[in-house]
Amino acid sequence: MPGSVELFMFFMLLQMLLSVLVVGFFHCLVNYQHIPGKPIRDELGDIGNLTKDRIEEILKDFLEDFRQGQLEAKGWLGNISAYKMSKAALIAYTSFLAKEIPSVLVNSICPGFVKTDINGNNGVLSAQEGAESPVYLALLPETGPSGLLFSKKEVCSF
């Protein structure tokens, strides 16, 4: 089964054939502001200079620091750090793809705290309520915004 990066790259290929909309999912509590290390935060947030290779290098650095037990010392995210970094990387890929393929709408969404099996159905939104925001993005017109993060149906900051 392909990972998120492979799926994003697949959409790049589809772009040549038809108009495509890409909607990625992230957790509302994961954004660049929560990364303690300023150099890491600044680099991921430098959308103008961010490349696919650099995102991958940052993730490799994270994995090496994880193996070495150096996450906190090196300024990475703390609790459930691998999950949070995977979501931060998806946010970075959203920005990268939107910049690389301006003819494709690429946005990320946090649908809210939805009741699911993974959280023991402790969320506050039903599945139907949680689906409203991703469907909203999926139905944007071709001239809609791209490269943005949405929390529910509102644009939020990286």
Side-chain angles (χ1 to χ4, degrees):
M1 180 170 175
S4 297
V5 172
E6 289 82 9
L7 288 174
F8 274 115
M9 295 302 122
F10 173 72
F11 287 121
M12 289 178 75
L13 294 173
L14 279 180
Q15 181 268 338
M16 293 183 287
L17 302 173
L18 50 106
S19 179
V20 176
L21 168 81
V22 179
V23 178
F25 288 80
F26 75 101
H27 192 285
C28 297
L29 298 177
V30 177
N31 63 36
Y32 301 149
Q33 298 165 15
H34 293 102
I35 299 173
K38 185 174 178 357
I40 300 164
R41 186 174 57 239
D42 289 349
E43 194 155 8
L44 285 172
D46 186 9
I47 296 165
N49 294 311
L50 200 58
T51 66
K52 176 183 173 286
D53 290 339
R54 185 59 193 133
I55 296 167
E56 290 175 1
E57 287 173 21
I58 291 169
L59 290 175
K60 286 178 185 175
D61 291 345
F62 169 80
L63 288 173
E64 183 58 30
D65 291 342
F66 177 82
R67 287 185 191 104
Q68 301 292 323
Q70 295 291 311
L71 291 181
E72 190 174 324
K74 298 282 183 94
W76 297 103
L77 294 161
N79 189 25
I80 59 171
S81 58
Y83 172 79
K84 290 178 180 178
M85 272 311 297
S86 73
K87 296 304 182 182
L90 287 176
I91 293 170
Y93 275 113
T94 297
S95 302
F96 166 74
L97 287 176
K99 178 181 73 174
E100 285 294 305
I101 317 170
S103 61
V104 174
L105 295 184
V106 185
N107 293 296
S108 286
I109 182 83
C110 172
F113 191 35
V114 180
K115 294 176 188 175
T116 63
D117 291 344
I118 200 166
N119 66 24
N121 291 307
N122 289 317
V124 295
L125 300 174
S126 69
Q128 182 176 351
E129 292 168 321
E132 288 178 13
S133 297
V135 169
Y136 166 78
L137 285 185
L139 296 176
L140 285 172
E142 289 183 29
T143 57
S146 189
L148 300 177
L149 297 178
F150 288 80
S151 179
K152 300 189 180 164
K153 295 179 187 174
E154 301 293 323
V155 174
C156 63
S157 66
F158 291 99

